[in-house]
Amino acid sequence: TLSYSDAAARGFRDWLARKYQSPDALNRAWGNVFWSMDYADWDEIDLPHLTVTEPNPAHVLDFRRYSSDQVVAFNRVQTDALRPLTDRPLIHNYMGLTRGATDFDHFDVGADLDIASWDSYPLGFLMDRVDGADADHQSRYLRQGDPDFQALHHDLYRAVGHGRWWVMEQQPGPVNWAPWNPAPLPGMARLWAWEAIAHGAEAVCYFRWRQAPFAQEQHHAGLLRPDSGPAPGLSETSEVAREIADLGQIEPARASAALMFDYQAGWVFDTQPQGADFTYFGLVLDAYRALRRAGLSIDILPPDAALDGYRLILAPGLAIMPDDLKSRLANSDATVIVGPRSGAKTTDGAIPVPLPPALPGLDATVNFVESLPPGADVPFADGPGAFIRWSEDLDTRADVVVATEHGTPALVRSDRLHYLAGWPDREGWDRIVSLAATDAGLATVMLPRGLRLRETAAHVFAFNYAPVALDWNGETIPPAGVRWWPKQDDDTA
Amino acid sequence: TLSYSDAAARGFRDWLARKYQSPDALNRAWGNVFWSMDYADWDEIDLPHLTVTEPNPAHVLDFRRYSSDQVVAFNRVQTDALRPLTDRPLIHNYMGLTRGATDFDHFDVGADLDIASWDSYPLGFLMDRVDGADADHQSRYLRQGDPDFQALHHDLYRAVGHGRWWVMEQQPGPVNWAPWNPAPLPGMARLWAWEAIAHGAEAVCYFRWRQAPFAQEQHHAGLLRPDSGPAPGLSETSEVAREIADLGQIEPARASAALMFDYQAGWVFDTQPQGADFTYFGLVLDAYRALRRAGLSIDILPPDAALDGYRLILAPGLAIMPDDLKSRLANSDATVIVGPRSGAKTTDGAIPVPLPPALPGLDATVNFVESLPPGADVPFADGPGAFIRWSEDLDTRADVVVATEHGTPALVRSDRLHYLAGWPDREGWDRIVSLAATDAGLATVMLPRGLRLRETAAHVFAFNYAPVALDWNGETIPPAGVRWWPKQDDDTA
Amino acid sequence: TLSYSDAAARGFRDWLARKYQSPDALNRAWGNVFWSMDYADWDEIDLPHLTVTEPNPAHVLDFRRYSSDQVVAFNRVQTDALRPLTDRPLIHNYMGLTRGATDFDHFDVGADLDIASWDSYPLGFLMDRVDGADADHQSRYLRQGDPDFQALHHDLYRAVGHGRWWVMEQQPGPVNWAPWNPAPLPGMARLWAWEAIAHGAEAVCYFRWRQAPFAQEQHHAGLLRPDSGPAPGLSETSEVAREIADLGQIEPARASAALMFDYQAGWVFDTQPQGADFTYFGLVLDAYRALRRAGLSIDILPPDAALDGYRLILAPGLAIMPDDLKSRLANSDATVIVGPRSGAKTTDGAIPVPLPPALPGLDATVNFVESLPPGADVPFADGPGAFIRWSEDLDTRADVVVATEHGTPALVRSDRLHYLAGWPDREGWDRIVSLAATDAGLATVMLPRGLRLRETAAHVFAFNYAPVALDWNGETIPPAGVRWWPKQDDDTA
């Protein structure tokens, strides 16, 4: 959805003229004086490509915003046409996010629709796009898919759909488009469906009913084989249907833990990663994984969401933080962890002065930043964990909750507002989530590797993504197994 | 030899019109309805590139056939011009096949020529194109070349030349075009020549006589140095000439084992590999290696070859199997191993219904297929071996000769007709070839690593490709050594 | 600075016409007859790209010379304009050389200027361009930079500036343009400045004073933070200024060891590396590293430099050696090591006959050459060391100083003139430099890993690039530490 056509260039100039009103205002906002790139006229502004070295990142950021707005506008042409003709809910399907982030703001598109949906291909995604999935991880979850990637999308699209969401396409067997295409472990077609339902999905549709034997997707499995014989996914799907009928209406529960997500932050860090492996979505996914490993159910929040009722809020990599957002987080009743790189940019994509994070009531200033190549971890002191990929040097007089082994602050706090000065590894995230959950009064667990939980209004569901049987809550859950129990009162503690 | 020019597009449309007669027939054959890509007119059909996602694989397959036909036609222009002018045999030189396969059907071109020849560069090929040659393999055979890659081409071009073939260019020393260009081990210029002669070569020509000191190939060795001094290959070449004179006429022997080879299968799997490391030629080479490790001499057969007299026939990856071919294989007296992915496509490049392999008298249906990333092997039960890269789930009531450790069928049979449901690793191939050879009444051996044999009418030749001396038949053969013995009666057993 | 524009093509044809006077002369010089590529007219000559296989290397070499001449001419336009207007010295800044070499002859440009300068970014360079820096090396020197890469450039640009040179841009903290951008170890901003000064820099300027918070380089550190607070580099820079004031005028010393450097050799091996990892600059850097590990101070010499006064001269990879240069090296009083690949090309880029190296008084002829992939080392006999990447087979009756374990000559000599028949690994270079220095009567040391020395007229400086403290000369030098001592008489022995 990024177009470098002449039409896009004309539209972009028009969009800029409406935003900035004068080339001088644009020059100031972008800092064009830096390489003597001041524009005298809108027509001098090209799309941000084919430059001698690199385009101004502010130029790129506005282009990404413009491009996102075009997607929103295109969708609105259709909703405007349909609304007078129907009272039915309008729906569209989104995709699994690739490394980095995505090309348009799904919250903005979602504002014009009634239901969000997405296409969930756990095995294909593990092979081609799950950030942080090294060969070991891909091998362990080869036929199950990543334990958290789909769940994060379920939560994200529930937010995009204002609570209403579907799986529009669910992988039922081997697909045709990933670098390698293994078959799901027996039981996974059922597990994936139940994970979605436990996250509040109103519908789980499969792509596809019958595998068409010809043309482009002929090697993409369906619920039926090309000869209309039953494919392995069919009986599992039938089993889920029976189980849903038995269990009755499944109501979602509001989570106590939240993760803030801003598409615009992805555009900022796509443009200025500063480290070759720094991606916004990768950072968010790592935070999400840690919350899941601790047994928590999670809500994804857009930056303008109401924060009431949440006990724990994570806001990593939230590049641009308006003052109002900073105030709401600082004044929230929740335990809040902001950073790394949160508040690191002005709305115009510059470094703010006063320097980041500039959070109300928290004395902490980022003195300088480092991106870290693989192997150059910065270990934490007094316990497990380390920073990988990203580390910040803080000037601070705030309480240091976690320090690095060099004695520099890794996590600082003032009351319940925390700033995290780097990208933790798995052990680091587990330590930080555990500290924060304790501070928030949230009960956590340390789940066996590959087990995940999700609460609904009345039940706790357990999903075994591991290739081995796992014990939980007095039961042995086989690989690809799903269990649920009525929720105890203290499950929501 | 793939051209995306306007002329190619015009020619392709004409070729399609002659083949299909009507756009509707083409639409049905390609399954264009799938993504609503039906054509109303020949002029709407472009070459299969620059598509939004991917072209229809049937579209690609026909383009590959068309492109191959153009090579055949171009060659025929020349043979048509020459035939009235000369009674001499006509010859052209082919190349070492790259990973995947090649751009035209050599059997079709060979039908218009009298002698096939090829350019044999063992060290360069090992560095830049031998499928399955990892760093260890490249290191071990750095100065000798792959033990089987040249032999397979000798056998292939003997088939292309209907028995008459040459080496048109033989590497005599370091070349200039591979990523790295080591020198052959002393003796290899002789060994390579004898391997060719033992495979029936009528001539072995060297590229080149004298190393020209200027222009593009100035670092490509010859038999003479740039100053006309003798290069290392010269004395070895002279030695071969003396040995040939001593030995007298060397008659080829027909092999008892055969490997079926279809250029068209390479085009199919180039287009739809389904796994990032699945190549047709790599699969064929692995099968060939196993036959060679067992000490067998091999004939390569085109799909329309007569099968009489062969005791063992392998047909892996034979994507498109006409009914007539299935019948001939099923009715052959030989032990036959078909698969994996054999019969997996119709002539139009679709999945056949009834599902593959649909072999006469063998109850076996491929239920679903998996491509396997490195490390995701599927081990065999009750002995060595595993599937790598590719595995199929079979519905079958046939005899299971080898099963996987999950209990699924790996090799099934009905009488002498076998179906192989995956891509075996080295141990797996050795086990299967041993079982099949026993079934066929063919004596096999397990050769020391790097030793290879080849039978002629009167002799058995042994070639040591290993960097160390090896013992065989009561003799110690040094690295790069060649030995031959008069053939015993039981050598043909 | 390589342009493939129409204007470049016209200029190139004109340049060729002036050089060769007739297309026939050009055809003979380039050897165009080889692939029947003789030109009949200047207008038939295109730039050396978009060819079916590869361009003639002689064609490329002339294009590189032409392109370099254009840079020289462009610079001269400016010096011609400035000279009448000012008596001030004219200066321009060069860059850190990338793998391979560089696009123009800096000695030629330097001839029109008074002072050479360069932009020194040790951490960025280690991440993106230091030849031979594998992951271990990058990890060890992550926050210090390569111990030799800057020093070599200091020596090179001192030669380019005829003794006068500056650091125009010195990295003061994390930069924004490398794949990863760590912060320097505390002390490195001081160490880097002192290393430059000890090499004779007249000035060390920092890029930049204040980190601008907007536009393209907003993540590039300065001596001040974006909010004008002090960045870590500021206090170290102030410390250097105080130390310089204390120490007084620092006079450079002429080195006893020299390394010959020819930009043209880089163009030759860029065009015909013959091995995927053969780069001229990498070879020179490896030789330089060995001299530095032995504690030597080094002068870089252009091929036409006077050789008087040097005791040890290395000339690796000097592709084109005019007869005059060969004579001067052979008749020098110094111990001289020529090779590998020195004298391997005529001025026209062909292989010379008589074959290389054809050094006066040294009976040695390169019989054939090998490029070696990683792991295919050729070990030396009777001690440590091996050839990596490149090995030559010599016909020689000269004294063999070092042989390979195959018994072939690795280093041969006649009196003080040596020829080196390959690319040594670290141990091999150390062995060869030690032998040669002993022959030359130069005292050497074996420095602890990461320690480096540099002599000025009155002092010996020591620099600790290691991440750990090192002992030297009775002192313990911390990481990033700098020490200096008054020079003893025998330091120049």
Side-chain angles (χ1 to χ4, degrees):
Chain A
T1 52
L2 296 184
S3 169
Y4 292 89
S5 66
D6 290 343
R10 286 192 300 272
F12 182 46
R13 286 183 199 117
D14 192 48
W15 186 94
L16 291 170
R18 276 182 279 123
K19 174 171 180 177
Y20 290 105
Q21 299 293 321
S22 81
D24 275 0
L26 178 146
N27 288 329
R28 282 193 301 275
W30 288 6
N32 283 332
V33 67
F34 181 66
W35 276 352
S36 306
M37 291 176 74
D38 276 346
Y39 296 109
D41 191 275
W42 301 113
D43 289 341
E44 295 176 10
I45 305 176
D46 288 322
L47 298 178
H49 64 157
L50 305 177
T51 56
V52 175
T53 56
E54 57 174 319
N56 189 323
H59 189 168
V60 180
L61 180 56
D62 268 345
F63 178 62
R64 298 294 294 263
R65 287 166 171 152
Y66 159 74
S67 299
S68 179
D69 284 357
Q70 297 307 101
V71 176
V72 173
F74 182 74
N75 181 69
R76 193 170 297 156
V77 167
Q78 296 163 81
T79 58
D80 283 352
L82 288 166
R83 290 292 184 199
L85 305 175
T86 181
D87 291 332
R88 296 291 187 86
L90 299 183
I91 183 169
H92 194 68
N93 54 326
Y94 306 102
M95 300 290 163
L97 300 191
T98 53
R99 292 168 203 259
T102 195
D103 288 343
F104 67 93
D105 191 317
H106 293 35
F107 292 126
D108 286 350
V109 169
D112 292 325
L113 296 170
D114 303 300
I115 301 176
S117 72
W118 78 293
D119 300 348
S120 178
Y121 288 93
L123 303 195
F125 293 156
L126 181 67
M127 280 289 139
D128 86 347
R129 74 186 63 177
V130 174
D131 205 300
D134 59 17
D136 277 353
H137 188 81
Q138 288 181 327
S139 177
R140 181 172 176 86
Y141 296 108
L142 183 72
R143 293 187 169 86
Q144 307 99 281
D146 185 273
D148 301 304
F149 187 83
Q150 287 74 242
L152 189 160
H153 284 79
H154 296 339
D155 290 332
L156 174 62
Y157 291 126
R158 192 174 64 248
V160 167
H162 310 95
R164 298 198 64 184
W165 75 281
W166 297 9
V167 173
M168 186 65 91
E169 298 185 7
Q170 173 63 59
Q171 173 172 13
V175 297
N176 64 310
W177 47 263
W180 286 275
N181 296 291
L185 214 61
M188 288 310 298
R190 171 176 170 253
L191 182 151
W192 293 328
W194 270 115
E195 178 85 81
I197 295 162
H199 280 75
E202 297 183 1
V204 176
C205 311
Y206 289 81
F207 184 81
R208 52 190 169 167
W209 172 240
R210 181 188 296 110
Q211 182 175 351
F214 48 75
Q216 280 89 340
E217 297 184 276
Q218 60 183 263
H219 286 293
H220 189 301
L223 294 175
L224 298 184
R225 303 190 312 194
D227 65 350
S228 298
L234 182 65
S235 63
E236 298 184 27
T237 305
S238 306
E239 185 180 355
V240 173
R242 287 190 301 271
E243 290 171 331
I244 290 173
D246 288 351
L247 203 59
Q249 185 66 25
I250 299 157
E251 293 292 340
R254 175 156 178 169
S256 300
L259 184 56
M260 195 162 277
F261 189 86
D262 181 15
Y263 287 90
Q264 167 171 257
W267 307 335
V268 168
F269 296 128
D270 269 1
T271 309
Q272 294 191 295
Q274 182 70 5
D277 54 5
F278 192 102
T279 67
Y280 174 62
F281 188 63
L283 177 65
V284 167
L285 179 57
D286 273 6
Y288 185 87
R289 290 178 192 284
L291 295 169
R292 288 262 287 180
R293 285 192 300 268
L296 295 169
S297 295
I298 302 124
D299 281 353
I300 301 285
L301 304 180
D304 59 359
L307 309 180
D308 317 290
Y310 291 105
R311 309 268 288 271
L312 173 61
I313 301 173
L314 267 57
L318 212 64
I320 299 172
M321 297 182 75
D323 287 344
D324 167 65
L325 173 60
K326 289 181 177 179
S327 298
R328 288 189 296 122
L329 286 168
N331 297 329
S332 148
D333 294 329
T335 296
V336 173
I337 299 181
V338 174
R341 296 189 88 168
S342 296
K345 295 284 170 177
T346 68
T347 304
D348 293 324
I351 297 175
V353 177
L355 293 176
L359 294 170
L362 181 66
D363 177 61
T365 298
V366 175
N367 195 33
F368 62 85
V369 301
E370 291 193 295
S371 53
L372 304 171
D377 305 356
V378 177
F380 291 170
D382 305 320
F387 282 147
I388 56 172
R389 299 192 184 191
W390 189 263
S391 174
E392 299 175 354
D393 184 80
L394 285 189
D395 278 352
T396 182
R397 280 168 304 213
D399 290 345
V400 176
V401 184
V402 177
T404 74
E405 67 173 21
H406 304 305
T408 56
L411 181 70
V412 297
R413 71 179 294 168
S414 170
D415 195 13
R416 295 206 143 141
L417 181 62
H418 297 67
Y419 185 77
L420 175 62
W423 182 321
D425 65 357
R426 173 152 46 175
E427 293 72 24
W429 270 120
D430 284 344
R431 181 173 170 187
I432 287 162
V433 164
S434 176
L435 285 167
T438 301
D439 185 72
L442 276 179
T444 60
V445 291
M446 184 50 60
L447 292 173
R449 186 177 172 205
L451 196 78
R452 294 294 185 266
L453 306 179
R454 173 75 196 181
E455 295 186 3
T456 60
H459 293 88
V460 178
F461 286 78
F463 306 95
N464 184 6
Y465 287 89
V468 295
L470 297 173
D471 293 325
W472 188 252
N473 203 21
E475 295 197 40
T476 296
I477 311 178
V482 181
R483 291 287 183 279
W484 55 86
W485 303 271
K487 199 151 78 172
Q488 308 296 321
D489 280 356
D490 64 332
D491 284 335
T492 58
Chain B
T1 53
L2 296 185
S3 168
Y4 292 89
S5 67
D6 289 343
R10 287 191 300 271
F12 182 46
R13 285 181 200 118
D14 192 46
W15 185 94
L16 291 170
R18 277 182 280 123
K19 174 171 181 179
Y20 292 105
Q21 299 292 320
S22 81
D24 275 359
L26 178 146
N27 287 330
R28 281 192 302 276
W30 289 6
N32 283 331
V33 66
F34 180 67
W35 275 351
S36 305
M37 293 177 74
D38 276 346
Y39 296 108
D41 191 276
W42 301 112
D43 288 341
E44 294 175 11
I45 304 177
D46 288 321
L47 298 178
H49 64 156
L50 305 177
T51 55
V52 175
T53 57
E54 56 174 319
N56 189 324
H59 188 170
V60 180
L61 180 57
D62 268 343
F63 178 62
R64 299 294 293 263
R65 287 167 171 152
Y66 159 75
S67 299
S68 179
D69 285 357
Q70 296 308 101
V71 176
V72 174
F74 182 74
N75 181 69
R76 193 171 296 156
V77 167
Q78 297 165 79
T79 58
D80 285 350
L82 288 166
R83 290 291 183 199
L85 304 175
T86 181
D87 291 332
R88 296 292 186 84
L90 299 183
I91 184 169
H92 194 68
N93 55 325
Y94 306 101
M95 301 289 163
L97 300 190
T98 53
R99 293 169 204 259
T102 195
D103 287 344
F104 66 94
D105 191 317
H106 293 35
F107 291 125
D108 286 350
V109 169
D112 292 325
L113 296 170
D114 303 301
I115 302 176
S117 72
W118 78 292
D119 301 349
S120 177
Y121 289 92
L123 303 195
F125 292 156
L126 181 67
M127 279 289 140
D128 85 347
R129 73 186 64 177
V130 174
D131 206 298
D134 58 18
D136 277 354
H137 188 82
Q138 287 181 328
S139 177
R140 180 173 177 85
Y141 296 107
L142 183 72
R143 293 187 170 84
Q144 306 100 279
D146 185 273
D148 301 304
F149 188 83
Q150 287 74 242
L152 189 160
H153 284 78
H154 297 339
D155 290 332
L156 174 61
Y157 291 126
R158 191 175 63 249
V160 167
H162 310 95
R164 298 198 64 184
W165 76 280
W166 296 10
V167 173
M168 186 67 92
E169 299 184 6
Q170 172 63 61
Q171 173 171 15
V175 297
N176 64 311
W177 48 262
W180 286 276
N181 295 292
L185 213 63
M188 288 311 298
R190 171 175 170 256
L191 183 150
W192 293 328
W194 270 115
E195 178 85 80
I197 295 163
H199 280 77
E202 297 182 3
V204 175
C205 311
Y206 289 81
F207 184 82
R208 51 192 172 166
W209 173 241
R210 182 188 295 111
Q211 182 175 352
F214 48 76
Q216 280 89 341
E217 296 184 276
Q218 60 183 260
H219 286 293
H220 189 299
L223 294 175
L224 298 184
R225 301 191 312 194
D227 65 351
S228 298
L234 182 64
S235 63
E236 297 184 28
T237 305
S238 306
E239 185 180 355
V240 173
R242 286 190 302 271
E243 290 171 329
I244 291 174
D246 288 350
L247 203 58
Q249 186 66 24
I250 300 158
E251 294 292 341
R254 174 155 177 170
S256 299
L259 184 56
M260 196 162 277
F261 188 86
D262 181 13
Y263 287 91
Q264 168 170 257
W267 308 335
V268 167
F269 296 128
D270 269 2
T271 309
Q272 294 191 293
Q274 182 71 2
D277 53 6
F278 192 102
T279 68
Y280 174 62
F281 188 63
L283 176 66
V284 168
L285 180 56
D286 273 7
Y288 185 87
R289 290 178 192 285
L291 295 170
R292 287 262 286 180
R293 285 193 301 269
L296 295 169
S297 295
I298 302 122
D299 280 353
I300 301 284
L301 303 180
D304 59 359
L307 309 181
D308 317 288
Y310 292 106
R311 310 267 287 270
L312 172 61
I313 302 173
L314 268 56
L318 211 64
I320 299 172
M321 297 183 74
D323 287 344
D324 167 66
L325 174 59
K326 288 182 178 179
S327 297
R328 287 190 297 123
L329 287 167
N331 297 328
S332 149
D333 293 329
T335 296
V336 173
I337 299 182
V338 174
R341 295 190 89 169
S342 296
K345 295 284 170 177
T346 68
T347 305
D348 293 324
I351 297 175
V353 176
L355 294 177
L359 295 170
L362 182 65
D363 177 59
T365 299
V366 175
N367 195 33
F368 62 84
V369 300
E370 292 193 294
S371 53
L372 304 170
D377 305 355
V378 177
F380 291 169
D382 305 320
F387 282 148
I388 57 174
R389 300 191 183 191
W390 189 264
S391 175
E392 299 174 355
D393 185 80
L394 285 191
D395 278 352
T396 181
R397 280 166 306 208
D399 289 344
V400 176
V401 184
V402 176
T404 73
E405 66 173 24
H406 305 306
T408 57
L411 180 70
V412 297
R413 70 178 294 168
S414 170
D415 195 12
R416 294 205 145 142
L417 181 61
H418 298 66
Y419 185 77
L420 175 62
W423 182 320
D425 64 0
R426 174 153 45 176
E427 292 73 22
W429 271 119
D430 284 343
R431 180 173 171 188
I432 288 163
V433 163
S434 175
L435 286 168
T438 302
D439 185 70
L442 277 178
T444 61
V445 292
M446 184 49 61
L447 292 174
R449 186 177 172 204
L451 195 78
R452 294 293 184 268
L453 305 179
R454 174 74 196 181
E455 295 186 3
T456 60
H459 293 89
V460 178
F461 285 79
F463 306 94
N464 183 5
Y465 287 89
V468 296
L470 297 174
D471 293 325
W472 187 252
N473 204 20
E475 296 196 41
T476 297
I477 310 178
V482 181
R483 291 287 182 279
W484 56 85
W485 302 272
K487 200 152 74 173
Q488 308 296 321
D489 280 354
D490 64 331
D491 283 335
T492 57
Chain C
T1 53
L2 295 185
S3 168
Y4 291 89
S5 66
D6 289 343
R10 286 192 300 272
F12 182 47
R13 286 183 200 117
D14 192 47
W15 185 94
L16 290 170
R18 277 182 278 124
K19 175 171 181 180
Y20 291 104
Q21 299 292 322
S22 81
D24 274 359
L26 177 145
N27 288 329
R28 281 192 301 274
W30 289 6
N32 284 332
V33 67
F34 181 66
W35 276 351
S36 306
M37 293 177 73
D38 276 346
Y39 297 108
D41 190 275
W42 302 113
D43 289 340
E44 295 176 10
I45 305 176
D46 288 320
L47 298 178
H49 64 157
L50 304 178
T51 55
V52 174
T53 57
E54 56 174 319
N56 189 323
H59 188 170
V60 180
L61 180 57
D62 268 343
F63 178 62
R64 299 294 293 264
R65 286 167 171 150
Y66 159 75
S67 299
S68 179
D69 284 357
Q70 297 307 101
V71 176
V72 174
F74 182 75
N75 181 68
R76 193 171 296 155
V77 168
Q78 296 164 81
T79 58
D80 284 352
L82 288 167
R83 290 291 183 200
L85 304 175
T86 181
D87 291 333
R88 297 292 187 85
L90 298 184
I91 183 170
H92 194 68
N93 54 327
Y94 306 102
M95 301 290 163
L97 300 191
T98 52
R99 293 168 203 259
T102 194
D103 287 343
F104 66 95
D105 190 317
H106 293 36
F107 292 126
D108 287 350
V109 169
D112 292 324
L113 297 170
D114 303 300
I115 301 176
S117 73
W118 79 292
D119 300 349
S120 177
Y121 289 92
L123 303 196
F125 292 156
L126 181 67
M127 279 289 140
D128 84 347
R129 73 186 63 176
V130 174
D131 205 300
D134 59 17
D136 277 354
H137 188 82
Q138 288 181 326
S139 176
R140 181 173 176 87
Y141 296 108
L142 182 73
R143 293 186 169 84
Q144 306 100 281
D146 186 272
D148 302 303
F149 188 83
Q150 287 74 241
L152 188 160
H153 284 78
H154 297 340
D155 290 332
L156 174 63
Y157 291 125
R158 191 173 66 249
V160 168
H162 310 95
R164 298 198 64 184
W165 76 280
W166 296 9
V167 173
M168 186 66 92
E169 298 185 8
Q170 173 62 61
Q171 174 172 13
V175 298
N176 65 308
W177 47 263
W180 285 276
N181 296 290
L185 213 63
M188 288 312 297
R190 171 176 171 255
L191 183 151
W192 293 328
W194 270 116
E195 178 84 81
I197 294 161
H199 279 78
E202 298 182 2
V204 176
C205 310
Y206 289 81
F207 183 81
R208 50 192 173 167
W209 173 240
R210 181 188 296 110
Q211 181 176 353
F214 48 76
Q216 280 89 340
E217 297 184 277
Q218 60 182 262
H219 285 293
H220 190 300
L223 294 174
L224 299 184
R225 303 190 312 193
D227 64 352
S228 298
L234 182 64
S235 63
E236 297 184 27
T237 305
S238 305
E239 186 180 355
V240 173
R242 286 190 302 273
E243 290 172 330
I244 290 172
D246 288 351
L247 203 59
Q249 186 66 25
I250 300 157
E251 294 292 342
R254 173 153 177 171
S256 300
L259 184 56
M260 194 162 279
F261 189 86
D262 181 14
Y263 286 91
Q264 171 171 253
W267 308 335
V268 168
F269 295 127
D270 269 2
T271 308
Q272 293 191 294
Q274 182 69 3
D277 53 6
F278 192 102
T279 68
Y280 174 62
F281 188 64
L283 177 65
V284 168
L285 179 57
D286 272 7
Y288 185 88
R289 290 178 191 285
L291 295 169
R292 287 262 286 180
R293 285 193 300 269
L296 296 168
S297 294
I298 301 123
D299 280 353
I300 301 284
L301 303 180
D304 59 358
L307 309 181
D308 318 288
Y310 292 106
R311 310 267 288 270
L312 173 61
I313 302 173
L314 268 55
L318 213 64
I320 298 171
M321 297 183 74
D323 286 344
D324 168 66
L325 174 59
K326 289 182 177 179
S327 298
R328 289 190 295 122
L329 286 168
N331 297 327
S332 150
D333 295 329
T335 296
V336 174
I337 298 181
V338 175
R341 296 190 89 167
S342 296
K345 295 284 170 178
T346 68
T347 304
D348 294 325
I351 297 174
V353 177
L355 294 176
L359 295 170
L362 182 65
D363 177 60
T365 298
V366 175
N367 195 33
F368 62 85
V369 301
E370 291 193 294
S371 52
L372 305 170
D377 305 356
V378 177
F380 291 170
D382 305 319
F387 282 147
I388 56 173
R389 299 191 183 192
W390 189 263
S391 175
E392 299 174 355
D393 185 79
L394 285 190
D395 277 351
T396 182
R397 282 167 304 210
D399 291 344
V400 176
V401 184
V402 176
T404 73
E405 67 173 22
H406 305 305
T408 57
L411 180 70
V412 297
R413 70 179 295 168
S414 170
D415 196 13
R416 293 206 145 142
L417 181 61
H418 297 67
Y419 185 77
L420 175 61
W423 182 321
D425 65 359
R426 173 151 47 175
E427 292 72 23
W429 271 119
D430 284 343
R431 182 173 169 186
I432 287 163
V433 164
S434 175
L435 285 167
T438 301
D439 185 71
L442 277 177
T444 60
V445 291
M446 184 50 60
L447 292 173
R449 185 176 172 204
L451 197 77
R452 293 293 184 268
L453 305 179
R454 173 75 196 180
E455 294 186 3
T456 62
H459 293 88
V460 178
F461 286 78
F463 306 95
N464 184 5
Y465 287 89
V468 295
L470 296 174
D471 294 323
W472 188 252
N473 205 20
E475 296 197 41
T476 297
I477 311 179
V482 181
R483 291 287 182 280
W484 55 86
W485 303 272
K487 199 150 76 173
Q488 308 296 321
D489 279 354
D490 65 332
D491 284 336
T492 58

